[in-house]
């Protein structure tokens, strides 16, 4: 495996990196997983040709979902604060880390499956000045799907289905609109929710934000084989 691992940012938040050249693909894990999940489930193998050819350099970070929305023993307010800390970690530590190991001009595209898709979309939409686009696979973009009824301002501002319809900041909207890489992918098989992707795409449409919505058929469930087919196809044809 063409990977190396660095604990440089935080002893609890190591990063896996694969490759040496190309745009930066920042992978965010699924629900309760770690920074090696995409390697463990062979998604890295599925995109290895694009890593080896220098099209893309991949960075995979830890999630904190077991310390926030996936932890049934935490106070909901503490969960959302932890979610915000994760955002800040990406913006203030991971993005500079990637820039230092590539260049200041290297595009950064966030990518994730399942809960990782929500995080990836949210990270891009909140800071389009730092992140250049997103590939979101099998996502639900309403954070309240995970909050078990809890809702406050911080949930609102981390739930793209909630805050994007009311976003009026012209500069942020224009930065989002300049991206040519807002890719929303979903299967239609078991445990997929293509209607959620469609609803969110309609919100982007209403804000005059360009996007690509790609709904795969019923033979594609909410599972690794789907994502191992989706991501290589998009790296081959969209980048």
């Amino acid at each position: 495996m063409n990977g190396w691992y660095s604990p440089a940012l935080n002893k609890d938040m190591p990063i896996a990196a694969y490759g040496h050249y190309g745009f930066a693909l920042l992978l965010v894990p699924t629900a309760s997983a770690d920074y090696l999940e995409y390697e463990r489930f062979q998604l890295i193998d599925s995109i290895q040709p694009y890593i080896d050819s220098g099209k893309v350099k991949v960075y995979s970070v830890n999630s904190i979902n077991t310390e926030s929305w996936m932890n049934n023993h935490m106070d909901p307010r503490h969960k959302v604060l932890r979610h915000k800390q994760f955002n800040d970690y990406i913006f203030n530590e991971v993005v500079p880390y990637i820039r230092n190991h590539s260049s200041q001009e290297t595009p950064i595209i966030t990518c994730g499956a399942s809960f990782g898709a929500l995080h990836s979309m949210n990270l891009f939409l909140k800071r389009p000045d730092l992140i250049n686009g997103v590939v979101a696979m099998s996502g639900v973009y309403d954070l309240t799907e995970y909050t078990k009824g809890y809702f406050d301002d911080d949930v609102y501002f981390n739930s793209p289905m909630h805050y994007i319809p009311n976003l009026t900041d012209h500069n942020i909207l224009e930065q989002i609109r300049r991206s040519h890489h807002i890719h929303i992918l979903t299967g239609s098989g078991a445990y997929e929710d293509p209607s959620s992707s469609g609803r969110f795409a309609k919100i982007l449409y209403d804000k005059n934000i360009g996007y690509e919505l790609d709904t795969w058929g019923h033979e594609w469930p909410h599972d690794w084989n789907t994502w191992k087919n989706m991501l290589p196809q998009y790296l081959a044809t969209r980048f």
Side-chain angles (χ1 to χ4, degrees):
M1 180 59 57
N2 183 28
W4 51 271
Y5 313 104
S6 173
L9 300 187
N10 184 312
K11 64 181 177 63
D12 298 317
M13 298 291 283
I15 292 178
Y18 309 87
H20 302 283
Y21 305 103
F23 76 89
L25 187 71
L26 176 57
L27 295 177
V28 183
T30 64
S32 301
D34 63 9
Y35 71 114
L36 294 178
E37 178 189 41
Y38 288 107
E39 178 179 323
R40 196 160 52 245
F41 285 94
Q42 300 172 333
L43 183 137
I44 298 297
D45 287 339
S46 76
I47 62 173
Q48 195 71 45
Y50 309 105
I51 297 171
D52 292 343
S53 69
K55 174 175 269 194
V56 63
K57 183 173 182 177
V58 179
Y59 297 84
S60 185
V61 296
N62 257 347
S63 81
I64 48 77
N65 296 320
T66 56
E67 302 171 34
S68 59
W69 303 114
M70 299 292 122
N71 188 328
N72 293 327
H73 304 290
M74 286 181 70
D75 180 273
R77 181 60 191 155
H78 294 156
K79 293 181 182 183
V80 74
L81 291 176
R82 190 66 172 139
H83 186 128
K84 290 178 63 182
Q85 288 174 340
F86 176 75
N87 293 346
D88 290 340
Y89 162 72
I90 298 295
F91 300 142
N92 299 329
E93 297 187 51
V94 174
V95 167
Y97 181 82
I98 292 173
R99 300 281 192 221
N100 289 337
H101 284 80
S102 53
S103 77
Q104 296 302 308
E105 292 74 36
T106 298
I108 298 174
I109 305 294
T110 51
C111 177
S114 192
F115 200 1
L118 188 154
H119 279 297
S120 297
M121 183 66 71
N122 187 48
L123 290 165
F124 162 66
L125 294 172
K126 293 180 81 67
R127 291 300 303 270
D129 58 320
L130 296 178
I131 294 169
N132 303 93
V134 56
V135 179
M137 302 181 291
S138 303
V140 172
Y141 305 97
D142 181 346
L143 185 57
T144 63
E145 293 282 332
Y146 298 92
T147 65
K148 298 184 177 180
Y150 181 76
F151 191 82
D152 65 10
D153 283 350
D154 288 318
V155 171
Y156 171 90
F157 282 111
N158 284 282
S159 180
M161 287 284 289
H162 286 89
Y163 69 78
I164 288 296
N166 301 316
L167 180 61
T168 58
D169 187 301
H170 177 75
N171 289 333
I172 294 176
L173 281 169
E174 285 303 302
Q175 288 171 337
I176 294 171
R177 289 168 182 150
R178 282 197 289 270
S179 176
H180 299 293
H181 291 294
I182 303 176
H183 306 289
I184 304 168
L185 318 180
T186 180
S188 300
Y191 302 106
E192 286 283 64
D193 185 7
S195 64
S196 180
S197 294
R199 287 192 300 273
F200 185 63
K202 176 62 164 55
I203 287 173
L204 296 179
Y205 176 85
D206 289 342
K207 301 299 285 189
N208 196 29
I209 295 169
Y211 63 89
E212 179 175 16
L213 172 64
D214 192 356
T215 302
W216 292 29
H218 290 280
E219 69 272 27
W220 299 104
H222 192 89
D223 204 357
W224 285 99
N225 186 58
T226 298
W227 308 325
K228 288 190 293 185
N229 279 272
M230 285 178 169
L231 187 55
Q233 178 172 318
Y234 269 73
L235 289 180
T237 61
R238 289 356 184 240
F239 293 91

